[in-house]
Amino acid sequence: MTTVAPAAIGTLTATGTKLGAWHHRHLIDVDVLSWAEIELIMRTTDEMKGILARPIRKVPALNGRRVTTLFYEASTRTRVSFETAARNLSADVVSISTATSSVTKGESLVDTIRTLEALGAEILVMRHGVSGAPYLAAEVFGGHVLNGGDGWHAHPTQALLDLYTMRENLPGGDLRGRKVVIVGDILHSRVARSNIWSLTAAGADLWLCGPATLLRGMDRWAAAWSGGAVPGHGRFNVTTDIEAALRDADVVMGLRIQRERMQGGLLPSMREYAARFQLTAARLRLAKPEAIVMHPGPMNEGVEIAPDVATSGRSVITEQVANGVAVRMALLYLLAGAHEAAVGEPAR
Amino acid sequence: MTTVAPAAIGTLTATGTKLGAWHHRHLIDVDVLSWAEIELIMRTTDEMKGILARPIRKVPALNGRRVTTLFYEASTRTRVSFETAARNLSADVVSISTATSSVTKGESLVDTIRTLEALGAEILVMRHGVSGAPYLAAEVFGGHVLNGGDGWHAHPTQALLDLYTMRENLPGGDLRGRKVVIVGDILHSRVARSNIWSLTAAGADLWLCGPATLLRGMDRWAAAWSGGAVPGHGRFNVTTDIEAALRDADVVMGLRIQRERMQGGLLPSMREYAARFQLTAARLRLAKPEAIVMHPGPMNEGVEIAPDVATSGRSVITEQVANGVAVRMALLYLLAGAHEAAVGEPAR
Amino acid sequence: MTTVAPAAIGTLTATGTKLGAWHHRHLIDVDVLSWAEIELIMRTTDEMKGILARPIRKVPALNGRRVTTLFYEASTRTRVSFETAARNLSADVVSISTATSSVTKGESLVDTIRTLEALGAEILVMRHGVSGAPYLAAEVFGGHVLNGGDGWHAHPTQALLDLYTMRENLPGGDLRGRKVVIVGDILHSRVARSNIWSLTAAGADLWLCGPATLLRGMDRWAAAWSGGAVPGHGRFNVTTDIEAALRDADVVMGLRIQRERMQGGLLPSMREYAARFQLTAARLRLAKPEAIVMHPGPMNEGVEIAPDVATSGRSVITEQVANGVAVRMALLYLLAGAHEAAVGEPAR
């Protein structure tokens, strides 16, 4: 891995203000982040949103640096978001999808990672169907691993963009005491898992809601959480009662219901799920009048969310997509070490 | 959508001559274009061909602007043509093919368009199997929609590159009174549909020829046209008689015959089509000695066109491909509003 | 094809030293290269490695030039290597894989090549399953064809990166008299075929080893070679005796064993191949203590090579991958004619 000379990087802030220190070589889950580091990511994202508001939304911060996206699961929106973020910072992007490539031709993940590094990859954005795969990648990769979602485990950039979007929409940008409800397939959701960490760290009053089969094990987890297992984190609540969950909520997030769950016997039918848990205008009347509606996408409109809710004035779903590019720019920038080089302390 | 400051755009013409005004936010079919606007596209294409003749075929006109190609039907040549055009203008390109992506994962077209806009798309080049889909996209998209072909409906960039290629090859660049013959599967051809509009506007004597099953409904359309339904447009002729069509033609265009038509019962066999309608050297002796041969590609050589005709001196088929890049550069440039900014009137 | 003005190209060497002359328009196999030309490629690769060692690994040498990769067989690592090489030289890259494209939609290879040229391709990197296909491409293409592997025939960039890696690791960078052993499926290997030429030209004592069914015809070839059929080239040896092959070897290269060979009846089973020919630590004790281990990748670990050997200190397998980018940069640079323009003789 090469070290980037300060000259190669532009200072992001006009004032050159020190944003704080970043010490992680990889980002595989939000659970390694201190609150100060989360704040650093949020403020760096602010800077990136400033860049996106310019007529030419591109800065040379990562000029000549190599970002490789390696997607073992298809996800056009997430891949395009990362690649747009990388290009906005002038990085060179190599894009590999196993669906259309030969990387799986009997080759082990470890060999693939070593090969990509030898081909020049410096930051590896990885999505993999197996929980924990990015940890293995990080062990052998000489550069930086940024997790784009692994199995049911984690989706840190989604959790961070969700957090950023909530702060942007809540008065004072403060989640403390705010009721945040996540409704849907909690069991299989890496989005929910990563959000549990960051939202309890932010002090939210977090509620997870869905059919009992899609909440399995969550109550024990919630109990451990409140038992002081994680210092500084608030507890979270688990319920199958959609009305209790939505009542006086500040934030309501729907999760995608996947057709495959029917086959696994976890849901009787899409129609029954929709009847009991769909985010409808009627149900949302239980929430606070100013409550916002979120969804990580892609949506199954008419299943977990009603079409009119998805496009209503309280929906911030496309805002989430736009913030996703800014958050990913911030993380690529911080991981690349560009941050320290640009705004390191002048003297010690 | 951001507005581009003049400083961000180079002036294309050395003299800064005003080329004319462009008022369309989208281009979904040629039928919205006045003749003056078609002339503007033709002259802008001239400028773009000048750029393509330089050793380094790249200008910064759309530097930092975002072009997204969204192809619901596979078409490598059209996609590469648009992407090359966009890169020649220094735009950033995001390329999405549904064949290799997850965009269709239950998500509606409207949601996909909204997501792409939130990801930063400014100009959306779209190909879709359903006629009219780009109109729906244009309703929800905040930027510019450029139709790369929709169902049987329209293929405006193909019609414009065909027109440009004809003008380049006809004495005086004038189509008025010139006999232009399109032979093949007229019924299912968006190329033919868009060409009907632009060629009758250009004053050509247009002939459409093919088996009766592939001409269905065209004679009524031709009759309406000549009845003054479209002011300023010449009439066109429909015939199953290939010899009448080719006699004294100035331009002969073959259309691709698709194997699927056999299954639909519209054609008895490829062999029979070839025997009756293939563009052969013998048949082309009926046309004018200087007549040119065109084809939108990809060709089924030996079906709609004989191999020796496709590569003969009168074939301008690869010229069409090269002009396609220039026409698409012109349209991206005009749609991006770069034109006005660069050569706007200095005082009013 | 446009000619590149010297001004458009940076001089690669700080001193502007003349590296030698390059006269080939295409590179389809190594068998057209004189030893002086191979040396030119090796020295140009040295320069490219110097660029890759910089913090920003990018030079403007091919700025605005068009490299198109056309892969009729999937090979992510080779495609990414070529594309990274092209981008490192600031070329614009168009990437076409037939697996995910419509280029085969009944269109002939010749038409595809003509179309890509009309779309702007200047250097065509091509991989094709049919031996000799790049020769056909070179006949119709107005630019430069660089073979990325064709059938069982040739893989010149792999042979050159192998040669480069051996020179880098052998004392004095000299292969003369060094025992080089290639073990595996020689019969179907374009890597072996191209390596036979370059390694015998380099004066190596070359040994090919594998089961008799995967060596068919090789002994007659080896005999012709030693009969003086190719002036200046050393002979090579063919054996089924893995121990004789490995004894006192300086370089040991494993080739991928493909599962398809089982179905063709050429191998009884993967397990039997592994038992008799796998490169294991035990077998490698027969080689010289300082012998290096190579593999073109992707590896079937546990079949042709033991996992501990692949990652041992003597393995230069990831070095091969890194050198592949540098060699491909060198070849793109030389083919583009950038070389002559940059360091042509000032006076004659």
Side-chain angles (χ1 to χ4, degrees), chain A residues 2-3 8 63-64 66 92-96 100-103 105-107 111 114-115 118-120 122, chain C residues 54-58 74-77 80-81 84 87-88 100 256 298-301 311 318 321-322 325:
Chain A
T2 56
T3 311
N63 190 23
R66 305 298 161 73
D92 281 318
V93 178
V94 168
S95 171
I96 298 172
T100 65
S101 86
S102 58
V103 289
K105 207 156 80 174
E107 195 181 55
D111 281 344
R114 286 204 181 102
T115 299
L119 287 169
E122 292 175 89
Chain C
R54 299 179 194 165
I56 295 191
R57 299 173 289 182
K58 206 162 181 170
S75 173
T76 303
R77 62 169 61 213
V80 170
S81 180
T84 300
R87 290 207 186 93
N88 286 349
T100 64
R256 181 179 176 75
M299 290 182 280
N300 278 320
E301 287 183 33
T311 57
T318 57
V321 177
V325 175

Side-chain angles (χ1 to χ4, degrees), chain B residues 190-270:
Chain B
R190 51 194 171 212
V191 177
R193 270 180 186 64
S194 286
N195 263 319
I196 288 171
W197 182 273
S198 47
L199 294 175
T200 56
D205 176 26
L206 179 59
W207 289 66
L208 306 178
C209 177
T213 49
L214 299 181
L215 284 172
R216 250 183 348 217
M218 284 293 156
D219 41 2
R220 255 175 302 160
W221 193 5
W225 216 257
S226 66
V230 187
H233 282 254
R235 63 161 289 157
F236 64 94
N237 314 279
V238 176
T239 180
T240 58
D241 181 346
I242 180 74
E243 292 178 4
L246 292 179
R247 190 159 296 123
D248 297 319
D250 294 279
V251 177
V252 180
M253 184 188 298
L255 296 181
R256 180 178 178 78
I257 295 295
Q258 283 171 321
R259 222 160 275 278
E260 302 90 272
R261 303 309 169 215
M262 309 300 117
Q263 291 150 8
L266 293 174
L267 278 179
S269 74
M270 296 296 246

Side-chain angles (χ1 to χ4, degrees), chain C residues 257-277:
Chain C
I257 295 294
Q258 283 171 321
R259 224 159 273 278
E260 302 90 271
R261 304 307 170 216
M262 308 301 117
Q263 292 149 7
L266 294 174
L267 277 180
S269 75
M270 296 297 246
R271 196 178 305 168
E272 186 162 346
Y273 177 87
R276 288 184 54 205
F277 292 100

Side-chain angles (χ1 to χ4, degrees), chain A residues 27-28 71 73 75 78 82 124-128 134 145-150 154-157 190 328:
Chain A
L27 184 62
I28 298 179
F71 273 55
E73 291 183 341
S75 173
T78 305
F82 274 112
L124 183 69
V125 176
M126 183 174 166
R127 165 159 297 191
H128 203 286
V145 174
L146 179 48
N147 186 6
D150 63 318
H155 196 351
T157 59
R190 52 193 171 213
R328 288 170 181 128

Side-chain angles (χ1 to χ4, degrees), chain A residues 231-283:
Chain A
H233 283 254
R235 63 160 288 157
F236 64 95
N237 315 279
V238 177
T239 181
T240 58
D241 181 345
I242 181 75
E243 292 177 7
L246 292 179
R247 191 160 295 123
D248 297 320
D250 295 279
V251 177
V252 180
M253 185 188 299
L255 295 181
R256 180 179 177 76
I257 295 295
Q258 284 171 321
R259 222 159 274 278
E260 303 90 272
R261 304 309 168 215
M262 307 302 118
Q263 292 150 8
L266 294 174
L267 277 180
S269 74
M270 296 298 246
R271 197 178 304 168
E272 187 162 344
Y273 178 87
R276 291 185 50 206
F277 293 99
Q278 186 179 94
L279 300 179
T280 60
R283 285 203 176 101

